[in-house]
Amino acid sequence: MTRPEIEQASRIEPFNPSMLTLARESRGLTQGELADLLAVSQGEISRVESGIRGPSESLVKMLEAKLDYPREAFYRQDVIRGLGIGELFHRKRQVIPAKVLAKSYATIHLRRIEVTRLLRAAEITECKIFRFDAYESNHSVEEIARSVRAQWHIPAGPIQSISQIIEDAGGMIIPCDFDTRRIDAVSQWVPNLPPLFFMNIHCPQDRQRYTLVHELGHMILHQSTSLQIDPCIEREADLFAAEFLMPEADIRSSLHDVSLEKLAALKLHWRVSMASLLKRATDLGKITERRARTLWMQMGARGYRTHEPTELDVRGDEPTLLTELVDLYTKDLGYSVE
């Protein structure tokens, strides 16, 4: 389709104010900041975003140039969905400024819209990620994690590729640049789409692996419509991730006489962070609280609480499904990159 044809098609559908809001927030701009960039009043931007009035042709051209989105993006009629469980419980290291959070959420909404359009020409793998209400079950979180491993035929011991495990189960991992290290990941499961995991590309891969399984735990345990906001929910997702990545039956015997050197060696084998291994040893009662405090202090003194030794970095666990989807369009269906 040529650009004139795209512009003509865009005019058939009305301008979508919600898409302007997403485009603006994804660039980290307030209404006032966008108005300054365009040399118009904030009131004009506000009226367009609220749907009170449509934008002029000249304003649409300026939006396209300043926000760096193609014209047709503002005319898409895609449904803007809330993030659901991911919005409530995604892993955050600390309180995030509203502007930064809005930018990240807008990025997620836009990525979901793009993926939805890409999936129109692709066969979606049967989803093997099932809902297992933790509040209505007589099973512990750890038992549920073991059950998932069994149903997905995961052998004992460490998992080499979490990305492959999740994508083989029907999930889709979407790397995102959130422009902050304060958000590790957000998950979303909406009708007619596979479970989506939006992963921050700025996280170390060992943390990415743990975060993906943490989000998987939310997907499986906390999708019930009767779910109440409970402070135990994050703890349950952590318990799920710990047992899924480091099954007690497989790792317990390795967690005696824990030291920094041993944690480093175990990290290379289990492909999780030294911090996760130390926490696991503490939770399983393989190390005293006093010894754990000493090791945490030693890790802090060496800077390991911020970034563990580079030579121990986990590598080779990148998602592939999104790349394969783009390749389908560019190589098999004849679409240009643009």
Side-chain angles (χ1 to χ4, degrees), residues 75-274:
Y75 291 86
R76 290 176 178 169
Q77 300 304 306
D78 299 84
V79 176
I80 311 300
R81 298 180 180 273
L83 296 180
I85 199 74
E87 188 172 7
L88 293 174
F89 306 121
H90 66 263
R91 300 185 70 217
K92 296 184 292 185
R93 295 189 184 183
Q94 51 191 299
V95 175
I96 303 173
K99 186 176 179 181
V100 174
L101 199 59
K103 181 177 181 179
S104 299
Y105 282 178
T107 298
I108 290 167
H109 284 303
L110 290 169
R111 292 293 173 269
R112 180 189 59 78
I113 290 171
E114 293 159 359
V115 166
T116 301
R117 298 168 84 85
L118 287 172
L119 285 172
R120 291 174 182 173
E123 293 288 338
I124 300 178
T125 302
E126 178 186 358
C127 186
K128 300 175 184 177
I129 298 174
F130 55 87
R131 293 177 171 88
F132 202 126
D133 194 328
Y135 296 94
E136 297 179 1
S137 170
N138 293 324
H139 300 286
S140 69
V141 171
E142 292 87 348
E143 287 172 332
I144 295 172
R146 291 193 289 271
S147 176
V148 175
R149 282 185 64 120
Q151 291 191 38
W152 292 356
H153 304 287
I154 300 173
I159 298 174
Q160 290 303 305
S161 177
I162 293 298
S163 297
Q164 182 179 346
I165 290 290
I166 289 178
E167 291 186 336
D168 285 350
M172 188 171 187
I173 301 167
I174 305 170
C176 293
D177 185 353
F178 290 142
D179 200 26
T180 177
R181 292 180 179 271
R182 298 182 181 184
I183 299 176
D184 291 341
V186 177
S187 55
Q188 186 182 40
W189 198 348
V190 298
N192 303 317
L193 281 180
L196 303 178
F197 299 81
F198 301 91
M199 175 59 60
N200 192 344
I201 62 174
H202 297 295
C203 288
Q205 202 164 89
D206 55 6
R207 186 173 179 88
Q208 286 184 5
R209 285 165 53 87
Y210 188 93
T211 297
L212 283 171
V213 182
H214 178 104
E215 292 298 318
L216 176 65
H218 280 315
M219 290 279 194
I220 291 173
L221 300 170
H222 304 136
Q223 292 288 333
S224 171
T225 55
S226 63
L227 177 67
Q228 300 295 316
I229 305 304
D230 190 323
C232 294
I233 285 174
E234 284 297 291
R235 172 63 176 163
E236 288 174 351
D238 278 333
L239 288 173
F240 180 93
E243 181 63 26
F244 194 89
L245 286 165
M246 301 166 282
E248 179 180 358
D250 301 333
I251 199 173
R252 173 177 279 278
S253 62
S254 302
L255 295 176
H256 61 276
D257 298 329
V258 176
S259 64
L260 292 190
E261 292 73 18
K262 185 161 191 177
L263 290 174
L266 288 172
K267 175 176 180 174
L268 292 173
H269 179 67
W270 285 93
R271 296 171 63 79
V272 297
S273 68
M274 295 170 65

Side-chain angles (χ1 to χ4, degrees), residues 32-65:
E33 290 168 339
L34 178 58
D36 290 342
L37 279 177
L38 303 177
V40 300
S41 69
Q42 181 178 344
E44 182 172 359
I45 299 299
S46 176
R47 286 189 289 273
V48 172
E49 287 195 5
S50 63
I52 295 176
R53 59 181 290 183
S56 64
E57 179 65 21
S58 61
L59 180 59
V60 173
K61 290 182 178 179
M62 288 192 293
L63 291 171
E64 180 182 7

Side-chain angles (χ1 to χ4, degrees), residues 118 326-327 329-331 334-338:
L118 287 172
V326 172
D327 285 345
Y329 276 84
T330 57
K331 296 179 180 179
Y335 281 74
S336 66
V337 172
E338 182 180 6

